[in-house]
């Protein structure tokens, strides 16, 4: 048995004022029913760092069915390990029963040859639950019974040292779940922490295990890495730790081309800016950017082989998407938008007539225009396209008409002149 360090209310900065009301309601009701009820994970970590948590996860010794009985607005999800989702309008508070199945406790039969966890559905108590968590700083609990913080792993010290340290033996923990390597990158980028030496070393050695992660899970991780407002830092770390190639193998090859790298960096910079300004973002833009180097290379290759341009483009888009989805899935609704973004790039060359006008009202104009401006900025397009299309959008429709149909305007002028004469 491990002894926890209990940090009493007076000695830490977590105030209930900063905890979501609905999460508090759930904690209190579980506690009043006689169960243990604690906040855990990112919520506690972020509060201790004076950050605003993304969500509040709750851990309890109540079994999922017992949680369901306490809350009418509760749904149990998951088959392998059941979680309770408690609905408050659009907000969901997630409640997980303490889980066993940590290193040393899992027998060989629960793991595959690579050491990955296959079964992880045994309920336990808090002392089991803590060891199956990934990093020490993610394994802190806030106990609603006395408002103390419970630290089993030396997490408070690591918070102070600003370091990410895997709980247990790093090699075993990465083998159990290789996605933890991506999580290390994500938290290092988000919190500005360093990765503890031992936890760092094995990333270089075990990165290849990411090849075995199902594409659907990698897709989710990619969004977390690149859509949380620190995509550029994540890219740098993924390159440093040689993990980028497992997420985007095709882009990985083209990143050696400095212009393409510049393009990706500008694309991510713009994504980060949008996230931080609270503007909407779409996975379609991210994936379109990551695969653009491949699409253009393939397109040029097919054109050289005498394929007509539009066919070459269609073909290149399909091949690039097909190759990517064996690594990270891309939902169809997004791959369709990616094709639109890519395809519309050609339409920016037509600066007059109805075609140009209709481009402005195309449902994917905005994303395609942003994409084009980034190509421009990275030097792939060496003309005034971005500037020209930016100016066009802020013009009145009369002014647009004049620019887009200069000949028609001069004809009308001639006609009026004739009439006057
Ligand atoms: P975020 O701010 O991104 O939500 P988080 O730490 O809350 O960060 P989650 O993915 O929400 O991350 O997971 C909640 C908690 O569950 C983590 O803090 C960690 O304790 C545990 N956890 C999640 N994924 C893993 C994993 N792959 N291996 C071990 N523990 C994990
Ligand atoms: Mg979380």
């Amino acid at each position: 048995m491990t002894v926890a360090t209990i940090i009493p209310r007076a000695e830490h900065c977590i105030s209930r004022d900063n905890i979501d009301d609905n999460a508090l309601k759930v904690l209190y009701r579980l506690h009043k029913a006689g169960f243990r009820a604690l906040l855990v994970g990112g919520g506690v970590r972020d509060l201790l760092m004076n950050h605003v948590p993304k969500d509040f996860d709750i851990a309890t010794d109540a079994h999922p069915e017992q949680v369901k009985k306490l809350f009418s607005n509760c749904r149990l999800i998951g088959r392998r390990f059941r979680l309770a989702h408690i609905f408050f309008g659009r907000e969901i508070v997630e409640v997980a029963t303490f889980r066993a199945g940590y290193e040393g406790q899992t027998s060989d039969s629960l793991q595959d040859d690579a050491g990955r966890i296959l079964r992880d559905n045994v309920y336990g108590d808090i002392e089991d639950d803590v060891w199956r968590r990934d990093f020490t700083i993610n394994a802190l609990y806030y106990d609603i019974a006395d408002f103390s913080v419970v630290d089993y792993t030396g997490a408070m010290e690591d918070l102070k040292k600003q370091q990410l340290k895997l709980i247990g033996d790093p090699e075993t923990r990465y083998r159990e779940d290789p996605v933890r390597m991506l999580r290390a990158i994500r938290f290092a980028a988000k919190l500005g922490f360093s990765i503890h030496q031992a936890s760092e070393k094995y990333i270089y050695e075990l990165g290849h295990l990411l090849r075995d992660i199902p594409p659907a899970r990698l897709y989710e991780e990619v969004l977390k890495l690149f859509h949380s407002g620190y995509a550029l830092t994540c890219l740098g770390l993924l390159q440093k730790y040689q993990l980028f190639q497992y997420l985007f193998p095709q882009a990985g090859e083209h990143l050696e081309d400095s212009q393409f790298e510049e393009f990706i960096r500008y694309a991510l910079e713009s994504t980060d800016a949008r996230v931080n300004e609270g503007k909407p973002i779409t996975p379609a833009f991210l994936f379109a950017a990551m695969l653009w180097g491949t699409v253009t290379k393939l397109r040029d290759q097919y054109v050289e082989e005498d394929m007509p341009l539009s066919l070459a483009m269609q073909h290149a888009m399909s091949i690039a998407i097909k190759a990517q989805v064996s690594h990270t899935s891309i939902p169809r609704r997004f791959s369709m938008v990616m094709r639109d973004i890519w395809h519309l790039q050609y339409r920016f060359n037509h600066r007059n007539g109805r075609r140009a006008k209709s481009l402005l009202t195309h449902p994917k104009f905005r994303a395609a225009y942003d994409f084009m401006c980034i190509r421009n900025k990275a030097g792939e397009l060496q003309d005034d396209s971005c500037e020209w299309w930016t100016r066009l959008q802020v013009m009145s429709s009369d002014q647009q008409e004049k620019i887009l149909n200069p000949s028609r305007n001069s004809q009308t002028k001639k006609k009026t002149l004739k009439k006057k004469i």
Side-chain angles (χ1 to χ4, degrees), residues 177-288:
D177 181 7
V179 168
R180 288 173 185 151
M181 292 182 259
L182 297 176
R183 289 174 61 83
I185 304 291
R186 179 154 70 87
F187 295 125
K190 171 175 164 166
L191 307 169
F193 279 22
S194 58
I195 304 173
H196 183 257
Q197 206 188 355
S199 306
E200 185 176 45
K201 183 178 133 206
Y202 284 99
I203 299 184
Y204 292 107
E205 284 179 32
L206 300 174
H208 64 92
L209 293 174
L210 287 171
R211 285 203 192 102
D212 303 330
I213 303 299
R217 184 154 183 230
L218 280 192
Y219 169 74
E220 294 300 326
E221 286 307 314
V222 161
L223 293 194
K224 288 182 188 169
L225 284 159
F226 292 107
H227 274 180
S228 307
Y230 33 82
L232 204 53
T233 318
C234 283
L235 174 72
L237 290 174
L238 287 168
Q239 286 179 289
K240 175 179 170 192
Y241 290 104
Q242 296 158 17
L243 296 181
F244 185 73
Q245 54 190 315
Y246 301 110
L247 302 177
F248 295 102
Q250 305 175 81
E253 280 170 30
H254 298 305
L255 272 189
E256 283 155 23
D257 170 351
S258 62
Q259 191 181 66
F260 180 61
E261 180 171 5
E262 188 120 305
F263 167 77
I264 293 292
R265 297 181 73 81
Y266 284 136
L268 296 183
E269 204 172 80
S270 116
T271 307
D272 283 346
R274 289 183 73 85
V275 172
N276 294 323
E277 289 162 25
K279 290 185 183 162
I281 42 169
T282 165
F285 190 89
L286 174 71
F287 282 86

Side-chain angles (χ1 to χ4, degrees), residues 42-43 54-55 57:
K54 209 171 71 190
D55 47 33
D57 294 316

